[in-house]
Amino acid sequence: MLTKTLLPQSVAREIQTMIQTGVLKPGEKIPSQRAFSQKFRVSRASLREALLTLETLGLIKTEPGRGTFVTGAGAGAGGAMAPWRYADSYSVFDVFQTRLMLEGQIAALAAGRLTQTQLDEMEAATRQMEECWARQDLLANVEADLAFHGLIVSACSNAMLRALYQTVRQQLTETQRQPIPITDPERMRESIAEHRRIIAALKANDATASRREMETHIRNTARCAGLEP
């Protein structure tokens, strides 16, 4: 049984399992937030965060005045992107532009600074992305993607850039979830290949190539979302 201390991501994982195993069926309306928060013994705030994550990944959809429903469509199966949750503050286009500038420079400054252990962890995260996509564990797929990018940030030589990344991390990482519902298998294969090219550039201590490969990766992710930053 879940406990009150469980993070929203763990609640999201539990609900994803209910969808994958057919406990919650396609087209079915999910229980009320009150019922779900009692079931999982979590606050409504934690539950809402979990539901927002699942909606961004395309596993559920909220219909105003009707409730929240299981979509029935996996990633790349004709789904649609959820509304951008930070629209009141920044457009998704602005966030992708910021990712290009910030993460490109961070990658350049991390080149040659990652330990072999960190590089191995990046390889493992990339394999996890691949394996989790194959079984449509979308939460774990994105978690591995976030870990991959986080390792690069941790090796950046500029402390202010690391701090700046953390300040806007929620918005930046949401762009890694946002395109998932319309990401087809071919795009995921390309994304995984891009990760491996980033690793190679970082390992070779090639700052120019690291920046270029990271910017290419982010631009291609943006294009998947229908944007050209």
Side-chain angles (χ1 to χ4, degrees), residues 25-198:
K25 297 176 174 57
E28 182 178 346
K29 184 177 181 179
I30 70 170
S32 68
Q33 288 192 15
R34 178 182 178 184
F36 251 0
S37 61
Q38 291 176 343
K39 172 182 174 61
F40 297 126
R41 298 183 181 179
V42 295
S43 69
R44 292 214 189 171
S46 292
L47 178 63
R48 281 194 294 271
E49 182 63 29
L51 294 176
L52 280 170
T53 297
L54 293 172
E55 185 162 14
T56 300
L57 294 177
L59 294 172
I60 61 175
K61 181 179 181 181
T62 299
E63 299 183 8
R66 294 192 63 218
T68 301
F69 298 82
V70 178
T71 62
M81 288 193 300
W84 175 244
R85 65 190 291 187
Y86 298 107
D88 289 344
S89 304
Y90 312 101
S91 71
V92 65
F93 181 87
D94 288 349
V95 178
F96 268 117
Q97 273 196 333
T98 301
R99 279 194 70 189
L100 274 172
M101 293 182 288
L102 184 59
E103 290 193 62
Q105 183 64 15
I106 283 173
L109 294 175
R113 291 177 54 85
L114 288 126
T115 66
Q116 188 58 51
T117 296
Q118 289 172 312
L119 291 166
D120 290 345
E121 288 173 355
M122 290 174 68
E123 289 279 7
T126 302
R127 286 194 302 273
Q128 184 181 350
M129 280 184 67
E130 195 168 28
E131 293 164 2
C132 291
W133 179 264
R135 61 177 183 266
Q136 285 293 280
D137 184 348
L138 303 183
L139 280 167
N141 171 273
V142 173
E143 286 169 2
D145 191 22
L146 300 180
F148 176 93
H149 287 266
L151 282 162
I152 299 171
V153 174
S154 71
C156 175
S157 61
N158 187 307
M160 180 169 278
L161 285 181
R162 294 198 306 270
L164 180 59
Y165 179 91
Q166 294 303 325
T167 300
V168 294
R169 182 176 179 273
Q170 287 186 325
Q171 291 81 11
L172 300 185
T173 57
E174 188 69 2
T175 64
Q176 292 167 252
R177 298 185 183 93
Q178 189 77 8
I180 288 292
I182 59 172
T183 298
D184 61 26
E186 181 57 33
R187 171 55 203 152
M188 183 53 65
R189 283 191 288 271
E190 291 170 355
S191 182
I192 288 165
E194 289 160 9
H195 273 209
R196 291 187 169 126
R197 287 196 291 271
I198 291 168

Side-chain angles (χ1 to χ4, degrees), residues 17-28:
T17 299
M18 293 173 71
I19 294 170
Q20 290 177 327
T21 58
V23 175
L24 292 172
K25 297 176 174 57
E28 182 178 346

